[in-house]
Amino acid sequence: DAVISCQDLAMTYAEGSLRTHVFHGLDLEVRKGETVAILGASGAGKSTLLHLLGGLDTPTAGEVFVAGQKMSALSDAARGALRNRALGFVYQFHHLLPEFTALENVMLPVLLSGADVSEASKRSQSLLESVGLGHRLQHKPGELSGGERQRAAVARALVNKPACVLGDEPTGNLDEKTAATVFELMLALNHEQHTSLVLVTHDRRLARRLDRVMELHEGKLRQLSHDEV
Ligand code: ADP
Ligand code: ADP
């Protein structure tokens, strides 16, 4: 069954008298462990869709379900807790906290979920080791290379064993070789944990590596066959 889904989702941005109608009537269902790419031109609404799926923004119409829970029915606090427990986020820019070490950055979501410090430290350290950052635990983001920062961000996204990771061009800011390494690492860890992945990307080569490829075009979400990608 679905770990994350939306039904009849619509989003219109309103700024003064200006209305930007991004999409309406979108349906998407992502099963446990399934990996889904969302392709689409710049401005097609990919980030908007990901924000709505992650409960970071409220749709104009329609519903989002995360781990069986209707997002609109939850209080802000409950939605925040669900997001921290059931979802992981990786963006184009790492969004690590600059004053904290790699280890502390990864520990944060674990601590927020109620685990104690030693448990959080143990799990975070082990995950940082599996992304190849075992020797960078005490480094702050500013002391890490671009690829290392994104690997730390991947570790942070996965540390609570979420049902689904939402990725918005997570390797878009890296050179091709580093991007490929970080992407393969993320995919391998997702598979290992049976975590679903919804990945917004404009890179068709990356998209082709996932189970399903969707294209957002003129407000419609269409599934592409792997031959079309
Ligand atoms: P993509 O991620 O595919 O590039 P976005 O979801 O960022 O597309 O944007 C879709 C459309 O919505 C664009 O026309 C964009 O200008 C508009 N948009 C995005 N965010 C906002 C916002 N906060 N306020 C107004 N319009 C927005
Ligand atoms: P890249 O070659 O990927 O651009 P950098 O030249 O930024 O990487 O960094 C090379 C290595 O040195 C990285 O592994 C990084 O962790 C480490 N490093 C970079 N800056 C610092 C710093 N200020 N303090 C400690 N280690 C650093």
Side-chain angles (χ1 to χ4, degrees):
D1 44 5
V3 294
I4 190 162
S5 66
C6 62
Q7 284 173 5
D8 209 18
L9 201 66
M11 189 60 171
T12 300
Y13 290 108
E15 280 178 300
S17 61
L18 183 69
R19 296 263 180 289
T20 306
H21 184 64
V22 188
F23 46 67
H24 71 271
L26 283 202
D27 295 305
L28 178 66
E29 195 175 298
V30 180
R31 295 171 171 283
K32 174 139 183 71
E34 189 179 32
T35 59
V36 179
I38 311 279
L39 289 170
S42 175
K46 305 181 296 299
S47 299
T48 299
L49 175 59
L50 214 62
H51 271 90
L52 296 176
L53 290 176
L56 300 169
D57 211 342
T58 307
T60 314
E63 294 292 349
V64 170
F65 298 85
V66 173
Q69 305 238 47
K70 191 195 270 194
M71 292 296 253
S72 66
L74 302 176
S75 66
D76 287 351
R79 198 178 309 119
L82 178 63
R83 208 161 42 222
N84 184 61
R85 174 173 63 76
L87 298 175
F89 296 87
V90 195
Y91 303 97
Q92 180 168 2
F93 299 98
H94 52 87
H95 294 291
L96 298 167
L97 299 172
E99 298 306 318
F100 290 94
T101 65
L103 180 62
E104 289 164 345
N105 267 284
V106 177
M107 283 172 66
L108 212 56
V110 192
L111 294 172
L112 283 172
S113 77
D116 64 33
V117 173
S118 79
E119 164 72 9
S121 170
K122 202 172 72 188
R123 268 166 57 193
S124 302
Q125 192 166 329
S126 141
L127 199 52
L128 279 163
E129 278 161 12
S130 50
V131 299
L133 290 181
H135 58 317
R136 293 284 183 263
L137 301 178
Q138 303 306 330
H139 281 54
K140 291 182 179 172
E143 301 164 342
L144 298 172
S145 72
E148 288 173 335
R149 278 180 218 140
Q150 286 306 87
R151 281 189 272 153
V154 167
R156 180 188 51 187
L158 285 164
V159 72
N160 276 339
K161 292 198 186 298
C164 187
V165 168
L166 302 175
D168 194 347
E169 300 276 11
T171 59
N173 195 37
L174 303 173
D175 66 75
E176 204 173 329
K177 188 161 164 278
T178 309
T181 311
V182 173
F183 175 76
E184 293 303 332
L185 186 75
M186 186 172 79
L187 205 54
L189 284 171
N190 264 270
H191 281 315
E192 200 177 296
Q193 295 195 2
H194 305 290
T195 300
S196 306
L197 173 66
V198 179
L199 179 78
V200 162
T201 181
H202 66 271
D203 189 330
R204 291 178 172 259
R205 266 188 310 177
L206 299 188
R208 221 179 279 132
R209 300 272 288 107
L210 303 192
D211 299 329
R212 255 198 305 152
V213 183
M214 316 288 293
E215 184 168 44
L216 190 54
H217 180 65
E218 292 177 351
K220 294 266 172 288
L221 204 52
R222 181 171 77 95
Q223 183 157 339
L224 304 181
S225 73
H226 275 74
D227 295 337
E228 286 177 277
V229 179

